Amino acid sequence: MSELLDDPALERSSVVANNSMNRTRGLAGVNSYERDLGFDPFHLLSETVRAQPDTTVTWIDLCCGSGRALLEAEQRFTRDLPNADIALLGIDLIDYFQTRPHTDRLRLITASAHDWHPDHPADLVTCVHGLHYIGDKLALLSAMASWLTPTGRLTAHFDPHSIRNPDGSSAARKVLAHLREAGLDYDRRHHRLTAQGPRALTFPATYLGADDTSGPGYTGQPAVTSHYDW
């Protein structure tokens, strides 16, 4: 096993600090969030706006890449629901966004996923194939699960086998057991982790570091394994 990297070193890795991740995925269609998440984010947010007309409806998209899906959502809200009180936030390590936001509804933020935290709870939190490049995945999952409003939804792609024991063996069974105990669901076929409403996630594990040389994950692209002492 290679020497494990801490978060600052990992974020300088060519596997993580790349400009090709999540660059072409749109909001709907063949190569889209709708297909990867299993639902249309615009439709979900629109329904939430109608159900909560007096509150700001928020979507947080971690590891948003070029921000294309968020930019398309911004355009659709401008066209179809121009009076909707909506906040769209995209966070990515690399400042490689497709274009600047056109309205103050959308913010594209360059920041480490480990360091960024929202100002208020969100109605939708997504991370589309972004956890593959995160070091302390369990800490980020715990944070995202706590960001939800009482009716909010979290959907993130997750490979439980990317969580490893100190000797490099898979800790997938332990992780999935703790996730289910906290009330999260895991779709093995689509590699999707979901939660409805905030969840208190705690793992009896100490983060040791990450390995960016472990090879491709289930997507076929290079990924990062995260190692913990349980």
Side-chain angles (χ1 to χ4, degrees):
M1 186 174 68
S2 301
E3 180 180 355
L4 298 179
L5 304 176
D6 60 16
D7 287 338
L10 180 66
E11 290 177 351
R12 294 192 297 269
S13 161
S14 60
V15 172
V16 175
N18 67 81
N19 63 8
S20 60
M21 184 188 71
N22 205 10
R23 299 301 164 191
T24 60
R25 233 178 240 105
L27 186 64
V30 177
N31 182 26
S32 70
Y33 274 44
E34 179 183 22
R35 181 168 182 175
D36 279 349
L37 295 174
F39 63 91
D40 180 350
F42 177 79
H43 176 75
L44 174 67
L45 294 167
S46 299
E47 290 299 308
T48 307
V49 165
R50 295 184 180 99
Q52 303 172 188
D54 298 324
T55 60
T56 302
V57 173
T58 302
W59 176 15
I60 297 171
D61 186 29
L62 280 176
C63 305
C64 68
S66 70
R68 179 182 170 188
L70 290 164
L71 287 158
E72 291 179 1
E74 178 193 35
Q75 292 175 350
R76 287 183 66 180
F77 274 107
T78 299
R79 183 188 69 215
D80 299 342
L81 292 170
N83 297 319
D85 189 358
I86 188 84
L88 308 170
L89 295 94
I91 297 88
D92 199 83
L93 180 65
I94 304 299
D95 182 3
Y96 204 76
F97 303 122
Q98 188 176 68
T99 187
R100 292 181 179 180
H102 296 94
T103 69
D104 59 6
R105 286 174 162 169
L106 172 60
R107 292 174 59 202
L108 296 175
I109 301 164
T110 304
S112 167
H114 294 294
D115 300 330
W116 186 86
H117 301 282
D119 296 328
H120 53 80
D123 301 276
L124 177 61
V125 177
T126 56
C127 188
V128 178
H129 297 297
L131 282 168
H132 312 322
Y133 306 97
I134 296 297
D136 192 350
K137 296 176 176 60
L138 299 186
L140 185 55
L141 279 173
S142 298
M144 289 192 294
S146 72
W147 294 348
L148 299 173
T149 65
T151 57
R153 178 187 295 190
L154 164 67
T155 303
H157 291 97
F158 178 58
D159 180 1
H161 293 289
S162 68
I163 307 300
R164 303 291 177 88
N165 295 307
D167 63 0
S169 60
S170 173
R173 283 190 179 181
K174 299 174 188 175
V175 173
L176 290 175
H178 285 288
L179 290 170
R180 291 185 179 119
E181 185 177 349
L184 284 82
D185 295 318
Y186 184 65
D187 181 340
R188 293 177 182 270
R189 179 182 176 187
H190 297 103
H191 308 280
R192 287 195 297 251
L193 190 65
T194 60
Q196 197 75 31
R199 293 288 183 269
L201 267 177
T202 56
F203 296 94
T206 301
Y207 178 57
L208 301 176
D211 184 1
D212 66 344
T213 67
S214 52
Y218 69 78
T219 65
Q221 300 298 316
V224 171
T225 52
S226 304
H227 296 247
Y228 296 83
D229 190 8
W230 297 80

